[in-house]
């Protein structure tokens, strides 16, 4: 190029350079390292390279672009426009050639590394850097005089047409390669997958001709109670469908340790659980693809995040070692596998599976995913992140250090083991307020924005009914009972006589509180029982004790901010979580919600290869704290049984709400009313 050559400036990158007249815009972009997509390699058939030329005076760039700065439309562009339609002002970058100085805008949909717009406001945006990309190639036909295999000629085409030096091919793809090549008349699209930026790419799928149906990936959060999946377009990063199912392993044990015991006590029990979860994932993949209207053979990647026990059971590894000290994992490293390794028969056999690394024996890939999504190690202030689920993942850190632990909260926060508990679904009470004077409740259910004392509530909920109470609802219910003086700090519900409301009624030797009686309409009687309070106390004590343990380790008594994550983290009210004593005392405006951070971490890893390398590096720097063998965990646990807490002061909470001083004896029979017992682990 010379000083006389036209100047080409690309936006938004600002990259610029001079190119000889007649250079295709795509070629100029490549030479400058501008992020401009292409699948067909400049043949004018994939339309991935669309650009918007800018004409006129661009003083900012020192460029005046005159009419004629790009070559006229050619036949390929005209045909594409006629058949598919090009947006006003767009050109195909591989066809438009530079004739004079010009400013070229690359729209987001033509960028490989585009940013994905996320609905939830959150710590990080997702940038596309897919591990799998499509390449259209024209392959030489076989020649008897220079005999080479079809795969070798495919490799040569990738080298000549895409400068890809070396490839491998997944065996199931190889078995179909000859048919694909002949069907495509020697023009095919291959999907090349890389496990890291420097790894040799592997062909994981091939289609005759230009493949235009796209590529998809699944981000799966494999929890003890639920399995949630996001089907993601690997080109745009858009989530095209989300779905979840209950983890069928629940029938072998509600929490992780009971599943480990099942494997210990029953020969072959681990295989049974592995089969159950793999079957469930196959069903989920089929359902979610159907919902999105795509074929399952387009799902070429799946990323899993899960706790260590689920991790081992998914892989078909007996989790018995995770049930006893020193809690050794079979491997804590990340894993690259294929669908056939895991018998995920709904997916193509060569579909790639990535498991995030585990942090340690009780701190799994789900905690790593939370770290990837929330990045505590990049926070200037000290942040406590709690991912609330059947097992809570807890991270505490800032730029100097990050600590992690997991705590066995049990499934109460997800509405399980609660007398009127249910999953978050239409009809479930998700928010509740109890009037401190009348002690009457009003509530809101999923599927209706109105409160139960507002006009229209009963009409709008007639179809779903009032069916139960979900995780966020039970947290609010227990906290509201405490605020209204119906529950004492030890967690005892008062009797009708003690509280002055007949919503409190005797049930056996303890009392319960009636939220709503739908029996007249054939519905349930929704109550909070003493047993429910105990289950929530166990769960919140485990969570709080885990957090305190990390704070001890860090040598602090307070944290700067708290992030609530987890499937229902988005719905937990900060005030109620603090009244309950789920989280340490911080100003309420310092409590934020990150939604399903583990799921977000899985999506980031699915869409971005560099992020996988980042988390593989980061987990090695996280200090892991083991709760199961730490005596202080038990001390914190016992102190945390009180609501909000027996020993920790909550001055910030005191600025928002005054908790009444009450104390309810049981019937004076010396019973402790089912006082909290220590949760055993293992
Ligand atoms: S690169 Fe495929 S149409 Fe331009």
């Amino acid at each position: 190029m010379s000083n006389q050559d036209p100047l080409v400036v690309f936006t938004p990158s600002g990259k610029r350079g001079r190119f000889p007249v007649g250079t295709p815009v795509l070629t100029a972009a490549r030479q400058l390292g501008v992020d401009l997509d292409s699948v067909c390699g400049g043949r004018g058939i994939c339309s991935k390279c669309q650009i918007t030329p800018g004409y006129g005076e661009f003083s900012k760039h020192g460029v005046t672009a005159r009419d004629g700065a790009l070559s006229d439309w050619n036949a390929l562009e005209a045909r594409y426009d006629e058949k598919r339609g090009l947006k006003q002002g767009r050109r195909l970058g591989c066809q438009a050639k530079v004739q004079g100085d010009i400013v070229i805008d690359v729209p987001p949909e033509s960028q490989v590394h585009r940013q994905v717009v996320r609905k939830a406001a959150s710590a990080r945006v997702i940038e596309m850097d897919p591990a799998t990309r499509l390449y259209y190639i024209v392959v030489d036909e076989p020649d008897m005089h220079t005999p080479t295999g079809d795969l070798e000629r495919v490799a040569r085409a990738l080298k000549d047409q895409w400068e890809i030096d070396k490839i491998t091919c997944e065996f199931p793809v190889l078995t179909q390669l000859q048919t694909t090549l002949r069907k495509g008349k020697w023009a095919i699209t291959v999907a090349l997958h890389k496990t890291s930026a420097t790894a040799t790419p592997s062909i994981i799928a091939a289609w005759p001709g230009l493949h235009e149906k796209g590529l998809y990936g699944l981000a799966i959060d494999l929890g003890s109670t639920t399995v949630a999946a996001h089907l993601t377009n690997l080109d745009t990063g858009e989530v095209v469908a989300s779905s979840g199912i209950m983890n069928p392993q629940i029938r072998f044990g509600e929490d992780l340790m009971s599943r480990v015991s099942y494997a210990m006590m029953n020969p072959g029990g681990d295989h049974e659980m592995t089969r159950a979860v793999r079957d469930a994932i196959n069903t989920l993949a089929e359902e979610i693809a159907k919902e999105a209207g795509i074929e399952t053979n387009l799902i070429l990647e799946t990323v899993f995040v899960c706790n260590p026990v689920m991790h081992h059971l998914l892989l078909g590894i007996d989790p018995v070692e995770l049930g006893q000290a020193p809690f050794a994992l079979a491997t804590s490293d990340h894993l690259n596998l294929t669908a056939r390794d895991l018998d995920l028969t709904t997916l193509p056999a060569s579909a790639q599976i990535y498991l995030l690394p585990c942090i340690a024996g009780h701190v799994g890939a789900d905690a790593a995913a939370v770290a990837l999504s929330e990045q505590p190690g990049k926070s200037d202030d000290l942040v406590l992140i709690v991912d609330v689920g059947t097992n809570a993942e807890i991270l505490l850190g800032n730029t100097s250090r990050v600590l992690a632990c997991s705590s066995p909260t049990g499934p109460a926060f997800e509405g399980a083991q609660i007398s009127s508990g249910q999953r978050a679904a239409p009809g479930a009470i998700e928010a509740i307020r109890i009037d401190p004077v009348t002690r009457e409740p009003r509530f809101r259910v999923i599927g209706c924005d109105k409160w139960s004392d507002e006009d229209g509530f009963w009409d709008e909920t007639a179809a779903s009914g009032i069916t139960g109470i979900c995780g966020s609802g039970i947290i609010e219910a227990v906290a509201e009972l405490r605020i209204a003086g119906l529950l004492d700090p030890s967690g005892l519900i008062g009797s009708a006589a003690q509280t002055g409301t007949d919503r409190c009624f005797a049930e056996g030797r303890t009392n319960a509180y009636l939220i709503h009686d739908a029996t007249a309409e054939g519905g349930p009687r929704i109550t909070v029982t003493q047993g429910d309070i105990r289950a929530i106390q166990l769960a919140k004590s485990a969570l709080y004790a885990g957090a305190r343990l990390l704070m001890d380790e860090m040598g602090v008594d307070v944290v700067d901010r708290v992030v609530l994550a987890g499937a229902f983290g988005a719905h937990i009210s900060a005030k109620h979580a603090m009244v309950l004593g789920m989280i340490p005392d911080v100003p309420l405006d310092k409590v934020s919600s990150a939604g399903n951070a583990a799921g977000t971490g899985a999506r980031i890893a699915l869409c971005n290869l560099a992020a996988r390398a980042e988390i593989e590096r980061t987990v090695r720097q996280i200090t892991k704290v083991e709760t199961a063998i730490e005596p202080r965990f038990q001390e914190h646990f016992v102190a945390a049984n009180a609501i909000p807490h027996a020993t920790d002061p909550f001055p910030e909470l005191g600025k928002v709400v005054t908790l009444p001083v009450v104390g309810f004896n049981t019937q004076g029979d010396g019973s402790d009313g089912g006082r909290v017992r220590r949760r055993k682990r293992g």
Side-chain angles (χ1 to χ4, degrees):
M1 56 186 98
S2 79
N3 275 343
Q4 308 311 312
D5 286 337
L7 178 64
V8 183
V9 177
F10 285 94
T11 57
S13 66
K15 289 184 174 162
R16 51 168 54 215
R18 291 188 180 276
F19 294 90
V21 168
T23 307
V25 172
L26 178 65
T27 308
R30 285 202 172 150
Q31 287 182 12
L32 291 173
V34 170
D35 187 16
L36 178 57
D37 200 2
S38 160
V39 167
C40 73
R43 291 179 173 84
I45 54 173
C46 73
S47 82
K48 294 283 186 190
C49 61
Q50 291 184 33
I51 47 113
T52 311
Y55 295 95
E57 187 74 40
F58 294 90
S59 49
K60 184 175 154 207
H61 302 300
V63 173
T64 305
R66 302 183 204 290
D67 289 351
L70 287 184
S71 58
D72 285 342
W73 276 53
N74 70 11
L76 274 175
E77 286 176 293
R79 203 181 68 193
Y80 187 87
D81 189 34
E82 189 189 307
K83 290 232 157 83
R84 306 272 181 92
L86 267 176
K87 271 194 199 157
Q88 181 82 28
R90 290 273 176 92
R91 300 285 307 265
L92 293 181
C94 62
Q95 301 303 313
K97 298 188 177 74
V98 176
Q99 305 288 329
D101 292 356
I102 183 82
V103 174
I104 303 278
D105 185 57
V106 181
E109 58 269 35
S110 299
Q111 298 169 11
V112 181
H113 299 277
R114 74 189 74 168
Q115 292 195 340
V116 180
V117 179
R118 290 179 50 195
K119 279 189 218 130
S122 154
R124 83 181 272 175
V125 288
I126 301 180
E127 187 188 281
M128 293 308 292
D129 174 19
T132 304
R133 292 195 53 193
L134 294 175
Y135 297 88
Y136 175 85
I137 45 173
V138 178
V139 181
D140 288 341
E141 293 187 32
D143 177 351
M144 267 203 301
H145 302 294
T146 47
T148 49
D150 283 353
L151 178 59
E152 287 69 40
R153 269 174 283 106
V154 165
R156 199 166 70 210
L158 282 164
K159 186 164 173 32
D160 294 347
Q161 293 160 38
W162 290 98
E163 295 170 17
I164 295 167
D165 259 343
K166 203 166 166 263
I167 53 137
T168 59
C169 183
E170 284 289 333
F171 181 62
V173 181
L174 179 62
T175 61
Q176 300 302 314
L177 189 62
Q178 296 208 298
T179 320
T180 309
L181 278 165
R182 282 148 188 86
K183 216 167 156 188
K185 299 194 172 52
W186 304 98
I188 60 169
T189 308
V190 293
L192 283 190
H193 174 267
K194 286 200 290 190
T195 54
S196 72
T198 52
T200 303
S202 175
I203 303 180
I204 61 167
W207 299 269
L210 180 71
H211 173 72
E212 294 185 281
K213 290 185 176 170
L215 293 182
Y216 293 85
L218 281 172
I220 299 187
D221 182 3
L222 178 54
S224 327
T225 309
T226 53
V227 186
H230 298 295
L231 182 65
T232 307
N233 179 325
L234 290 181
D235 197 19
T236 61
E238 181 199 353
V239 174
V240 293
S242 295
S243 187
I245 50 171
M246 295 303 279
N247 187 331
Q249 291 179 341
I250 286 176
R251 68 174 184 269
F252 303 102
E254 289 233 336
D255 56 34
L256 294 174
M257 285 310 137
S258 50
R259 284 180 218 170
V260 175
S261 323
Y262 185 84
M264 284 175 170
M265 320 273 283
N266 300 279
D270 56 324
H271 294 305
E272 266 181 275
M273 288 188 277
T274 295
R275 251 195 323 273
V277 75
R278 289 178 178 178
D279 286 350
I281 293 162
N282 277 322
T283 308
L284 183 60
E286 201 170 316
E287 284 175 5
I288 201 168
K290 200 161 153 202
E291 191 188 322
I294 65 148
E295 297 154 23
T296 49
N297 63 13
L298 297 175
I299 305 176
L300 288 184
E301 285 201 69
T302 298
V303 167
F304 282 100
V305 299
C306 43
N307 59 58
V309 174
M310 294 312 308
H311 176 271
H312 278 37
L313 286 172
L314 171 69
L315 293 174
I317 300 171
D318 190 338
V320 57
E321 291 302 328
L322 299 172
Q324 57 205 18
F327 312 108
L329 289 154
T331 175
S332 59
D333 233 341
H334 68 279
L335 287 169
N336 285 293
L337 303 164
T338 61
R340 68 181 181 285
D341 293 331
L342 298 184
D343 288 334
L344 298 180
T345 47
T346 304
L347 304 177
S350 305
Q352 300 293 301
I353 310 289
Y354 177 76
L355 267 82
L356 269 78
C358 290
I359 297 174
H362 277 139
V363 190
D366 44 3
V370 172
L372 180 58
S373 162
E374 297 309 309
Q375 305 206 300
K378 291 189 180 157
S379 171
D380 288 328
D381 51 8
L382 187 62
V383 58
L384 176 75
I385 304 163
V386 290
D387 187 343
V388 188
T390 308
N391 227 41
E393 318 311 323
I394 310 171
L395 294 147
L396 174 70
N398 55 20
T399 46
S400 67
R401 206 173 161 216
V402 177
L403 309 173
C405 75
S406 108
S407 198
T409 44
F413 286 149
E414 295 182 271
Q417 287 177 354
I418 297 296
S419 59
S420 297
Q422 71 157 89
R423 283 186 57 207
I429 294 176
E430 60 170 348
I432 179 166
R433 298 288 176 274
I434 298 173
D435 188 308
V437 179
T438 65
R439 275 124 192 225
E440 285 297 297
R442 61 194 185 96
F443 50 83
R444 231 177 39 215
V445 300
I446 295 176
C448 176
D449 287 338
K450 296 195 167 87
W451 286 88
S452 57
D453 57 351
E454 286 181 272
D455 284 348
F457 172 85
W458 296 101
D459 290 340
E460 285 182 31
T461 56
S464 68
I466 314 297
T467 50
I469 186 159
C470 70
S472 58
I474 190 73
I475 287 170
E476 291 203 358
V478 179
E480 285 286 321
L481 285 170
R482 178 77 186 89
I483 296 169
L486 305 173
L487 187 74
D488 73 11
S490 76
L492 281 175
I493 303 177
S495 65
Q498 286 163 327
T499 60
T501 171
D502 53 12
R503 286 210 170 248
C504 289
F505 62 96
E507 200 186 50
R509 286 158 49 157
T510 56
N511 299 306
Y513 178 81
L514 176 68
I515 296 177
H516 178 64
D517 189 352
T519 44
E521 302 94 59
R525 202 159 176 261
I526 300 169
T527 59
V528 181
T529 66
Q530 191 62 60
D532 297 340
I533 305 277
R534 294 312 184 203
I536 289 293
Q537 276 179 294
L538 282 175
K540 77 100 179 179
S541 303
L543 185 62
Y544 192 82
R548 284 299 315 191
L549 200 58
L550 295 189
M551 290 161 72
D552 286 354
E553 196 69 29
M554 191 69 101
V556 297
D557 279 326
V558 285
V559 300
D560 296 323
R561 60 189 176 96
V562 174
V563 175
L564 291 171
F568 75 107
H571 307 289
I572 302 176
S573 128
K575 181 176 114 182
H576 292 95
M578 226 184 287
V579 169
L580 205 56
M582 272 175 81
I583 51 174
D585 191 54
V586 287
L588 283 187
D589 63 355
K590 292 286 180 189
V591 184
S592 61
S593 158
N596 183 358
T600 302
R603 277 184 59 208
I604 294 171
L606 180 65
C607 294
N608 189 300
L609 190 56
R612 298 185 195 178
E614 179 191 324
I615 195 62
E616 288 157 21
R617 253 190 335 268
T618 306
V619 292
R620 286 184 216 121
Q621 291 151 8
I622 295 179
T623 309
K624 177 254 164 174
V625 177
E626 178 53 68
T627 52
I629 50 164
E630 177 54 66
R632 278 172 309 157
F633 180 80
Q634 293 297 345
E635 285 165 30
H636 286 311
F637 181 84
V638 171
N641 287 333
I643 299 174
H645 194 282
T647 52
D648 276 3
F650 275 70
E652 290 294 340
L653 181 63
K655 293 177 193 165
V656 185
V657 60
T658 308
L659 296 176
V661 181
V662 283
F664 302 122
N665 291 323
T666 46
Q667 287 81 351
D669 58 359
S671 149
D672 69 352
R675 196 170 297 280
V676 172
R677 285 170 189 91
R678 290 179 185 196
R679 173 175 285 273
K680 277 205 210 103
R681 188 165 202 170

